[in-house]
């Protein structure tokens, strides 16, 4: 992986958040706090940039589980205002309005988009910006919901791989139990990111860095990392098939 000066990276992100809030002339930022490392790191950076009074956390569970306690731990550690909004009634209302039974993925996307609506409702009401929590590993593989957790005004972690987010979290003082927990979007019981992706973040980042940043040939990546070529091709396919997610809607040239 690339070598970063994490102190400078933190300074750069903090300045970025502060500048964007000043430019937009808003009162602060709202962040969806999931109990995971990405949203925790984003919240810690926002507080560093703006002070705790200008950061609002929204905890939006569908299931009542340990994630809610972890999200509360983040908010209370930082001393920021936060709200817990159970999205189950909202999602249930969506489901009731459909003339079909949504499958697991469809329902998961409804859940994530419901959270986005709540974030923007608060942003509109209180003159805030929405800070997204997506990282570069998720962006490149399409591991997010379009117009859901992929929707935000700014995404401070978007140019950092997941393994780099963990490093920054350690330096910011994010609680250890948040850093060490298995990443999950909390979309269904037992769901984890790495199971869904079919690869560990550590290996994924090693491949993505060489494939996207260094533009190394697939065979060379497989040899250097010590893995089968098929694993590199699997990651390459994730990047290729999610291209549409990284673009705004387009139409024909007139």
């Amino acid at each position: 992986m690339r070598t970063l000066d994490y102190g400078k990276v933190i300074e750069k992100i903090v300045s970025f958040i502060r500048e964007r809030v000043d430019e937009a002339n808003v009162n602060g930022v709202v962040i969806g706090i999931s109990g995971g490392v990405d949203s925790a790191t984003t919240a810690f950076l926002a507080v560093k940039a703006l002070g705790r009074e200008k950061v609002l956390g929204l905890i939006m569970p569908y299931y009542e589980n340990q994630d809610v306690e972890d999200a509360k731990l983040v908010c209370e550690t930082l001393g920021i205002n936060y709200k817990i909004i159970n999205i189950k009634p909202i999602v249930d209302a969506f489901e009731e309005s459909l003339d079909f039974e949504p499958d697991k993925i469809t329902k998961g996307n409804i859940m994530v988009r419901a959270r986005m609506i709540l974030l923007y409702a608060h942003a509109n009401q209180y003159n805030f910006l929405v800070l997204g929590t997506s990282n570069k590993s998720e962006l490149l593989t399409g591991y997010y919901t379009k117009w859901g957790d992929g929707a935000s005004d700014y995404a401070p972690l978007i140019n950092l791989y997941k393994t780099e987010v963990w490093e920054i979290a350690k330096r910011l003082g994010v609680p250890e139990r948040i850093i060490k927990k298995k990443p999950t979007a909390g979309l269904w019981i037992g769901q984890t990111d790495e199971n869904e992706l079919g690869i560990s973040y550590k290996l994924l980042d090693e491949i993505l860095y060489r494939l996207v940043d260094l533009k190394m040939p697939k065979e060379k990546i497989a040899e250097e990392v010590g893995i089968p070529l098929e694993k590199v091709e699997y990651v390459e396919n994730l990047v290729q098939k999610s291209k549409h997610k990284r673009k705004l809607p387009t139409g024909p040239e007139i």
Side-chain angles (χ1 to χ4, degrees):
M1 283 298 293
R2 58 187 176 177
T3 304
L4 295 178
D5 181 332
Y6 287 106
K8 284 188 178 171
V9 171
I10 289 168
E11 281 176 29
K12 193 166 192 175
I13 297 172
V14 165
S15 295
F16 173 87
I17 295 169
R18 196 177 290 135
E19 285 163 13
R20 294 302 171 270
V21 165
D22 287 345
E23 277 173 11
N25 195 27
V26 293
N27 297 327
V29 297
V30 58
I31 304 166
I33 310 290
S34 67
V37 72
D38 296 316
S39 63
T41 303
T42 304
F44 270 72
L45 288 163
V47 168
K48 202 170 174 60
L50 308 170
R52 65 187 182 190
E53 304 82 11
K54 292 189 173 183
V55 180
L56 171 65
L58 292 192
I59 302 171
M60 299 171 283
Y62 182 86
Y63 302 102
E64 291 293 333
N65 56 23
Q66 184 58 44
D67 291 339
V68 175
E69 292 308 310
D70 290 341
K72 282 168 65 179
L73 173 65
V74 170
C75 295
E76 287 166 6
T77 299
L78 288 169
I80 62 172
N81 287 327
Y82 69 91
K83 293 183 184 181
I84 301 175
I85 304 172
N86 191 317
I87 63 167
K88 192 172 188 308
I90 300 168
V91 175
D92 289 350
F94 267 111
E95 280 193 89
E96 285 165 19
S97 71
L98 300 172
D99 62 355
F100 57 86
E101 182 76 29
D103 62 26
K104 194 162 64 170
I105 300 298
T106 303
K107 183 170 178 173
N109 284 335
I110 292 170
M111 289 162 65
V112 177
R113 289 181 177 127
R115 290 173 181 145
M116 178 273 291
I117 291 168
L118 288 167
L119 284 165
Y120 272 97
H122 283 78
N124 293 156
Q125 185 69 20
Y126 299 118
N127 190 31
F128 284 168
L129 290 175
V130 175
L131 282 194
T133 63
S134 294
N135 58 60
K136 190 171 183 175
S137 309
E138 293 168 345
L139 178 74
L140 291 174
T141 56
Y143 189 64
Y144 58 93
T145 297
K146 201 171 187 179
W147 318 127
D149 52 337
S152 63
D153 294 312
Y154 293 103
L157 308 180
I158 206 71
N159 292 312
L160 290 167
Y161 288 105
K162 181 76 170 192
T163 45
E164 295 169 342
V165 174
W166 276 316
E167 290 302 318
I168 283 180
K170 288 175 196 169
R171 287 160 174 79
L172 288 170
V174 171
E176 195 174 2
R177 87 174 194 221
I178 307 290
I179 297 170
K180 288 191 167 177
K181 73 187 285 191
K182 279 184 182 290
T184 174
L187 300 179
W188 53 83
I189 294 167
Q191 182 261 337
T192 70
D193 294 0
E194 292 179 330
N195 281 350
E196 271 201 280
L197 281 165
I199 188 171
S200 73
Y201 273 117
K202 188 175 187 312
L203 180 55
L204 176 66
D205 288 356
E206 293 287 359
I207 297 170
L208 283 173
Y209 172 58
R210 289 166 174 80
L211 193 66
V212 178
D213 289 32
L214 301 183
K215 298 185 173 18
M216 283 172 62
K218 290 180 285 186
E219 295 76 12
K220 176 74 174 163
I221 296 171
E223 182 188 332
E224 193 170 289
V225 182
I227 53 172
L229 179 61
E230 292 74 29
K231 208 72 173 168
V232 182
E233 289 173 337
Y234 171 74
V235 173
E236 181 185 47
N237 183 50
L238 290 177
V239 174
Q240 288 300 321
K241 73 180 185 183
S242 61
K243 258 184 180 176
H244 70 97
K245 286 187 164 188
R246 294 184 288 276
K247 293 180 178 176
L248 288 169
T250 59
E253 292 292 330
I254 305 296

